[in-house]
Amino acid sequence: MELGGGGMDALPDGVVQHILSQLSSARDVAACAGVSRSLRGCVPFLPALYFPRGAFDAAGGAVTADEAIGRMVEAAARLEELVIYCPFSAARLPLWLAARSASLRVLELRMDSAVSSAAIGGGPGHLDCVGVVTNLEELRLWGLTMTRAPAWGQLERLRVLEIVGAALRDVAVNGTVGACPNLTDLALIGCECSGAVAMTLALVERCRLDFVSSGNCSLALAAPRVESLEIQGFCWISLQGGNRLKHLTIAKNTGSVYNVEMGKLPELEKLSLRGVQWSWGAVSSVLQCAREVEYLVMKVEFCGDHDTLEPFPEVDLVDFFNSHPKLIKFEIHGAMFAAMCQKNSLKNLDSRFVIPCLEEVLITVRSPLNAELKLSTLESLVKYSPRMRRMVIRISQMKNCHGSADGFFEEICKFIYMNNGRVRIE
């Protein structure tokens, strides 16, 4: 491009502003501002600023970062998005947010990089200043500690709230969500919390609550518009309003799920139940509410209402599939499959029975015990599923030293040969 004697300063203002509108990284903005006066003069038009984690490591750390962040935020008069991952002084945050409170729409802060304490309730409450950004639409916070509800007032325009890797008290969770009445997307990911969490989310469509605490925690959730819901880490769960729910995951990696209460889920397409131990009452309650489900994942290892790990009770195969007539894809692991392979599981099979929609099955087998019944169940799934396209049998953690393992493998291989093209083994 021929610029004549003016160099970069000869570019039209519209071109310069368009170039800067494509930038967000503080490093790139600083580099451009050092090239020419016209680029430097367009910094006030920047829509976004992003300060990566190591942005000021070589320049003096948090003190230098505070000065640079403050200078650039002050200059960017039309700033709509501010992302800070690098270390900074939490005490300076109120000044930056106050300066851009009218224009800011998106805010993302990595609080575990803040030099001073970012605790709410145990410190000066630096995050209370988020409340001054009344036009905020998206808020993402990483690595903070919250011991009380923040003093945000009501963030009426906030639609997206994400909190990742935080240590929370239940009162802080309840108060934070209560301050955001118009959320459509909520994600609390990898958060430590115990106690009773209660939320009313009138407009939320997508919700992920991923708690990692080993203690007992209960959830009472009212979400009439939710379409996608992921719940992890709760022992007692109550859900009000699932008429629009399409995707539901409930998991508990440690401890037990004791009780799940919810109404019918008429629009549910995918259901995933995971965990080490669930009470059978919780499992059966969810399955009864999800009669319209099309894709079901059952990955629960044990049952039992207390600390004693117990096998699943016997499950009647005919009753199960008659209760879920729209099932298209089914992933069944270990204990649940064994429950379908008991003495009376196939007693109600007859020529009139059919599994009308089932197309794909993934079955994890962990033991060669009851080999004959397991093979009968596999054969029945193929025989009574006219639309069956693929069955995958996954052999997992099976001890080769078991006396019946070789015979079981031989029978599985025969079964695969007889159903070549539809059945395979992993």
Side-chain angles (χ1 to χ4, degrees), residues 365 367-379 382 391 393 395 398 403-420 423-425:
V365 183
S367 169
L369 297 177
N370 296 329
E372 184 177 348
L373 289 172
K374 288 178 178 177
L375 286 167
S376 295
T377 301
L378 294 174
E379 292 169 354
V382 173
M391 173 183 284
I393 303 171
I395 307 298
M398 187 178 293
S404 58
D406 290 341
F408 179 70
F409 276 114
E410 289 180 8
E411 295 300 323
I412 288 290
C413 290
K414 291 179 183 177
F415 173 67
I416 293 172
Y417 177 78
M418 295 296 293
N419 295 277
N420 186 31
V423 182
R424 64 182 176 89
I425 190 171

Side-chain angles (χ1 to χ4, degrees), residues 63-315:
V63 175
T64 302
D66 290 343
E67 295 175 356
I69 294 172
R71 186 167 57 250
M72 297 183 76
V73 169
E74 182 68 28
R78 299 185 183 181
L79 190 65
E80 296 183 1
E81 180 176 355
L82 176 61
V83 179
I84 306 177
Y85 284 172
C86 66
F88 66 93
S89 299
R92 302 289 294 274
L93 182 62
L95 300 176
W96 303 335
L97 297 187
R100 299 278 75 87
S101 61
S103 62
L104 206 58
R105 299 291 185 272
V106 179
L107 177 63
E108 185 167 352
L109 303 172
R110 187 145 196 157
M111 299 307 298
D112 57 359
S113 297
V115 173
S116 60
S117 172
I120 296 180
H126 300 302
L127 282 179
D128 286 348
C129 64
V130 171
V132 305
V133 191
T134 55
N135 293 322
L136 201 62
E137 297 174 2
E138 300 182 19
L139 175 61
R140 297 175 177 88
L141 302 172
W142 297 65
L144 69 154
T145 299
M146 299 180 71
T147 59
R148 64 162 174 83
W152 291 347
Q154 293 285 293
L155 296 177
E156 300 282 353
R157 296 183 176 227
L158 196 69
R159 297 294 183 267
V160 178
L161 174 62
E162 296 182 10
I163 300 177
V164 181
L168 310 170
R169 289 187 180 177
D170 52 0
V171 292
V173 175
N174 300 337
T176 300
V177 175
C180 313
N182 297 316
L183 291 175
T184 59
D185 295 77
L186 172 64
L188 306 179
I189 304 173
C191 295
E192 297 181 13
C193 183
S194 60
V197 175
M199 301 179 183
T200 298
L201 306 171
L203 302 179
V204 160
E205 298 175 359
R206 291 158 291 276
C207 182
R208 181 179 176 187
L209 306 176
D210 180 2
F211 284 25
V212 297
S213 175
S214 58
N216 292 334
C217 194
S218 66
L219 172 67
L221 176 63
R225 295 192 179 185
V226 67
E227 296 181 1
S228 176
L229 176 61
E230 297 182 36
I231 300 172
Q232 150 67 29
F234 295 91
C235 296
W236 297 273
I237 300 168
S238 173
L239 172 64
Q240 295 181 16
N243 291 338
R244 299 187 181 186
L245 195 58
K246 298 183 183 299
H247 304 279
L248 173 62
T249 297
I250 305 177
K252 186 84 165 68
N253 294 333
T254 59
S256 302
V257 177
Y258 296 116
N259 187 52
V260 179
E261 296 180 358
M262 60 180 65
K264 293 182 178 180
L265 308 174
E267 300 296 325
L268 194 65
E269 297 175 359
K270 181 177 180 180
L271 171 64
S272 177
L273 305 182
R274 302 173 182 268
V276 176
Q277 182 182 20
W278 282 53
S279 74
W280 179 246
V283 173
S284 57
S285 174
V286 177
L287 291 178
Q288 288 174 10
C289 295
R291 291 177 176 269
E292 308 299 317
V293 68
E294 299 176 0
Y295 182 3
L296 176 60
V297 179
M298 289 287 300
K299 195 174 182 180
V300 180
E301 304 299 331
F302 299 97
C303 276
D305 293 325
H306 303 288
D307 294 335
T308 303
L309 300 178
E310 301 176 0
F312 276 48
E314 195 170 89
V315 175

